[in-house]
């Protein structure tokens, strides 16, 4: 659900786990915090869309779940330099 506004609490509720347990599971299985894993997923999709479609970065930002273009742009630039 990377396209939705999603939080660790939402995921924990869906899994019927505590927030703390969910955070540990995400870290164990991805090597990243929930926020890092969500951002990485969004940026992977964003880079793919930028390379393979004619969508503008603003359209891509909305598509991958960002409410703010500036927040998307900051994450996009950071992910491109890693």
């Amino acid at each position: 659900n990377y396209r939705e506004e999603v939080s660790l609490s939402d995921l924990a509720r869906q899994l019927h786990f505590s927030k703390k347990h969910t955070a540990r599971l995400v870290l164990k299985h991805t090597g990243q915090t929930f926020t890092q894993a969500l951002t990485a997923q969004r940026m992977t999709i964003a880079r793919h869309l930028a390379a393979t479609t004619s969508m503008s970065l603003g359209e891509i930002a909305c598509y991958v779940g960002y409410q703010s273009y500036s927040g998307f742009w900051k994450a996009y630039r950071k992910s491109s330099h890693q």
Side-chain angles (χ1 to χ4, degrees):
N1 295 338
Y2 68 90
R3 293 180 67 186
E4 305 295 323
E5 190 171 324
V6 62
S7 68
L8 180 61
S9 297
D10 295 332
L11 180 59
R13 198 171 18 262
Q14 257 187 338
L15 297 173
H16 304 287
F17 291 145
S18 72
K19 204 169 131 181
K20 189 173 184 175
H21 182 66
T22 303
R24 279 194 304 258
L25 286 174
V26 170
L27 185 60
K28 177 182 176 183
H29 290 280
T30 67
Q32 300 173 313
T33 66
F34 172 79
T35 302
Q36 290 169 332
L38 177 60
T39 300
Q41 178 65 26
R42 286 176 169 170
M43 291 303 109
T44 297
I45 301 298
R47 283 192 306 277
H48 174 75
L49 290 172
T52 62
T53 71
S54 61
M55 292 172 74
S56 70
L57 286 179
E59 291 169 322
I60 292 171
C62 289
Y63 183 87
V64 298
Y66 277 83
Q67 305 299 315
S68 157
Y69 178 77
S70 61
F72 166 78
W73 181 241
K74 182 179 176 183
Y76 189 81
R77 277 192 327 210
K78 185 177 178 183
S79 74
S80 296
H81 291 103
Q82 292 179 350

